[in-house]
């Protein structure tokens, strides 16, 4: 029930990073959930505990020196974008 899914990958204008975005046209997230979704341990599941997307965000920022972000609007969908440096040969 996530609607249509679109995956996009592109090299940024500076040719130094790759940006990968995954979007859907599903339910989207409320502003309250969106505000918490990247915090450690957050889940909307009643019976599941976990590390949450906060750990993913820290990995992209601290280890890969990139960025991880989520944009969402209720009734319109969600886009998750990961940006990381292009590997050098």
């Amino acid at each position: 029930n996530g609607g249509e899914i679109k995956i996009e990958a592109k090299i940024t204008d500076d040719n130094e990073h790759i940006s990968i975005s995954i979007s859907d046209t599903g339910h989207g997230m409320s502003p309250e959930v969106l505000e918490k979704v990247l915090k450690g341990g957050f889940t909307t599941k009643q019976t599941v505990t976990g590390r949450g997307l906060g750990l993913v965000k820290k990995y992209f920022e601290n280890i890969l020196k990139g960025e991880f972000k989520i944009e969402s609007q209720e009734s319109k969908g969600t886009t998750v974008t990961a940006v990381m440096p292009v590997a050098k040969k």
Side-chain angles (χ1 to χ4, degrees), residues 25-69:
T25 57
H27 300 291
M29 291 182 244
S30 69
E32 295 80 22
V33 170
L34 186 58
E35 182 180 313
K36 297 175 190 171
V37 74
L38 291 175
K39 295 186 177 168
F42 176 76
T43 181
T44 58
K45 309 289 188 251
Q46 301 253 338
T47 58
V48 178
T49 59
R51 303 279 184 214
L53 290 172
L55 188 60
V56 174
K57 180 176 173 41
K58 285 183 184 284
Y59 179 81
F60 273 89
E61 291 176 351
N62 298 335
I63 305 298
L64 297 179
K65 305 300 183 208
E67 91 183 70
F68 184 85
K69 63 183 176 179

Side-chain angles (χ1 to χ4, degrees), residues 9-29:
K10 63 182 179 180
I11 300 294
T12 58
D13 292 338
D14 63 6
N15 290 323
E16 297 287 324
H17 297 82
I18 184 166
S19 173
I20 300 170
S21 296
I22 302 169
S23 303
D24 70 32
T25 57
H27 300 291
M29 291 182 244

